[in-house]
Amino acid sequence: MVNVPRLVIAAPSSGSGKTTVATGLMAAFSERGLAVSPHKVGPDYIDPGYHALAVSPGASGTPGGAGAAGSAARARPGRNLDAYMCGPALIGPLFAHGAAGCDLAVVEGVMGLYDGASGQGELASTAQVSKLLRAPVVLVVDASSQSRSVAALVHGFASWDPEVRIGGVILNKVATDRHERLLRDALDESGVPVMGVLRRADGVTAPSRHLGLVPVAERRAEAVGSMRELAARVRAGCDLEALLALARSAPALDVTPWEPAVEPVAPATGAGRPVIAMAGGSAFTFSYAEHTELLTAAGADVVPFDPLRDEELPEGTAGLVIGGGFPEVYAPELSANEPLRKAVAELAHSGAPVAAECAGLLYLARSLDGAPMCGVLAADARMSGRLTLGYREAVAVGDSALARAGTRVRGHEFHRTVLEPGAGAAPAWGVVHPERRVEGFVQQGVHASYLHTHWAAAPELARRFVERCSVQSCS
């Protein structure tokens, strides 16, 4: 049984202020010495970076407290809860794993409360996750263009699904004291209490670009300052005691915490744990914490490196993981680091296992917007005006260092780039839904694709990759 107090921060639609409120609450509660576990519904990589900053020691201006389990002073990653990629059955266990030892968990929703995977009902919606977690929902409402109508809106959301418990409302973008009185009077009749009011001038925003917010890794010093201001404004505008009481009203959750328990790969005679280099830094910020945990559990030593700064791969690298991010923003700098590009190419040509997703795919290409990349793949990438976005179901076309032929996965695509050609002679995946096509590349030990996957749903991917790395470290 899991008894972590918890809140889901949702909204009627995107753009209502979920991220502002959720992140501000994480920071404000962390200021009070609570160990806060941050979570995000859906496949988003960027918001969890801000969540992790909000709960990190000192980010909101205080050193952090000990918390009930003495863990507030320990940095916690933002974790995703994606019922499409991982399946509904894993949501509770993944939540319990991330929230272990915490005093409070705050879960930021995705899109509108009832919006989920296209054409699949409530699947992957914030509403579904709130029900799976038996967590009360706080609805963030953009009140900038309404007064009494807010009561009708809240009543509709609260009554749509009786299994979704909307326990409070936070009004965002409120103009004046008079506007606030009108909104509160209207909501008195709804039976849903107002737990916070943020004024229109209270907005603390992060800069955006073509795929959403600029990741925190690219603007950490500025983001820390913004986080302190955001925590102060949320603390002043929200009833933290009422919100904490609501979180503590969540019933016990009857789940067993997920563990990155994959059978460890037995190292070859005389060999130690294989070193897997994992790309990070400002250009490669998209990664699920569970991937590192699974690789480590399978018997590898995961060592981060920054392709913008490091001219060599970590010593003893036997395998390479390059996740998503924004290489298009840093194409000149990545191209200028010729020693590392050559090292990556040499590793790939040696047959070493390389798993690349989206940004990693582009980095392995010949060029990106004309700038030379690693040249591992006979393909060229460029920015386009078209956004490719959505969930995918796919199957491994053939054997690779990552997956056996026939392995089925669910993933997510999110990019504004085009790769020509989009698939090699041996594709990485055959996409079977929502359309049928092949994409990506498998050559020697390389598995490169636009598709983001969550390995918690397929831990055999991590074990297979470590197994291949172990063989490589002995060669």
Side-chain angles (χ1 to χ4, degrees), residues 19-63:
T19 301
T20 296
V21 171
T23 308
L25 288 174
M26 293 172 190
F29 281 118
S30 294
E31 275 187 351
R32 302 180 76 179
L34 297 180
V36 179
S37 180
H39 302 264
K40 170 69 181 181
V41 177
D44 187 292
Y45 291 95
I46 299 175
D47 290 351
Y50 285 90
H51 296 171
L53 178 64
V55 304
S56 64
S60 57
T62 65

Side-chain angles (χ1 to χ4, degrees), residues 320-358:
L320 177 60
V321 175
I322 317 174
F326 290 98
E328 61 271 26
V329 176
Y330 295 97
E333 293 90 338
L334 290 169
S335 184
N337 191 350
E338 188 174 355
L340 185 66
R341 289 194 290 111
K342 287 184 176 179
V344 169
E346 289 172 3
L347 184 76
H349 293 322
S350 75
V354 179
E357 289 185 348
C358 201

Side-chain angles (χ1 to χ4, degrees), residues 138-392:
V138 176
L139 196 67
V140 179
V141 176
D142 178 351
S144 58
S145 299
Q146 58 185 316
S147 57
R148 191 165 180 264
S149 294
V150 72
L153 183 150
V154 172
H155 172 74
F157 273 81
S159 60
W160 178 260
D161 184 341
E163 293 183 53
V164 175
R165 178 190 169 200
I166 296 182
V169 175
I170 292 177
L171 300 169
N172 193 27
K173 301 181 184 177
V174 176
T176 63
D177 289 347
R178 180 175 180 275
H179 187 201
E180 180 179 340
R181 285 196 302 273
L182 291 171
L183 294 166
R184 285 184 178 275
D185 288 346
L187 285 166
D188 280 345
E189 304 175 26
S190 74
V192 181
V194 176
M195 294 187 169
V197 175
L198 298 178
R199 293 301 171 90
R200 204 173 288 175
D202 286 349
V204 180
T205 59
S208 299
R209 58 176 178 234
H210 56 282
L211 293 182
L213 296 180
V214 174
V216 72
E218 300 183 38
R219 53 184 296 271
R220 186 175 181 86
E222 179 189 356
V224 167
S226 297
M227 195 65 65
R228 291 172 179 169
E229 184 179 357
L230 178 58
R233 291 184 174 182
V234 167
R235 184 176 64 247
C238 295
D239 186 342
L240 297 185
E241 293 301 331
L243 288 162
L244 189 56
L246 179 63
R248 288 172 173 163
S249 73
L253 195 60
D254 187 12
V255 298
T256 300
W258 177 84
E259 290 291 341
V262 291
E263 182 183 352
V265 172
T269 303
R273 295 168 65 92
V275 173
I276 295 179
M278 183 169 285
S282 298
F284 298 95
T285 55
F286 295 6
S287 178
Y288 293 124
E290 291 83 0
H291 287 198
T292 297
E293 293 168 347
L294 282 162
L295 292 170
T296 302
D301 287 333
V302 180
V303 181
F305 73 102
D306 185 348
L308 289 174
R309 301 179 181 276
D310 297 323
E311 294 188 348
E312 298 178 348
L313 290 167
E315 185 177 355
T317 294
L320 177 60
V321 175
I322 317 174
F326 290 98
E328 61 271 26
V329 176
Y330 295 97
E333 293 90 338
L334 290 169
S335 184
N337 191 350
E338 188 174 355
L340 185 66
R341 289 194 290 111
K342 287 184 176 179
V344 169
E346 289 172 3
L347 184 76
H349 293 322
S350 75
V354 179
E357 289 185 348
C358 201
L361 168 71
L362 307 184
Y363 186 55
L364 295 181
R366 275 186 306 229
S367 67
L368 173 54
D369 284 337
M373 292 290 114
C374 295
V376 173
L377 307 175
D380 299 282
R382 59 178 172 80
M383 284 291 293
S384 76
R386 178 174 175 267
L387 175 63
T388 299
L389 170 68
Y391 285 123
R392 308 283 186 258

Side-chain angles (χ1 to χ4, degrees), residues 52-92:
L53 178 64
V55 304
S56 64
S60 57
T62 65
S71 56
R74 176 166 61 87
R76 287 182 176 270
R79 293 181 184 268
N80 293 73
L81 299 171
D82 194 310
Y84 182 89
M85 288 208 284
C86 295
L90 265 184
I91 295 302

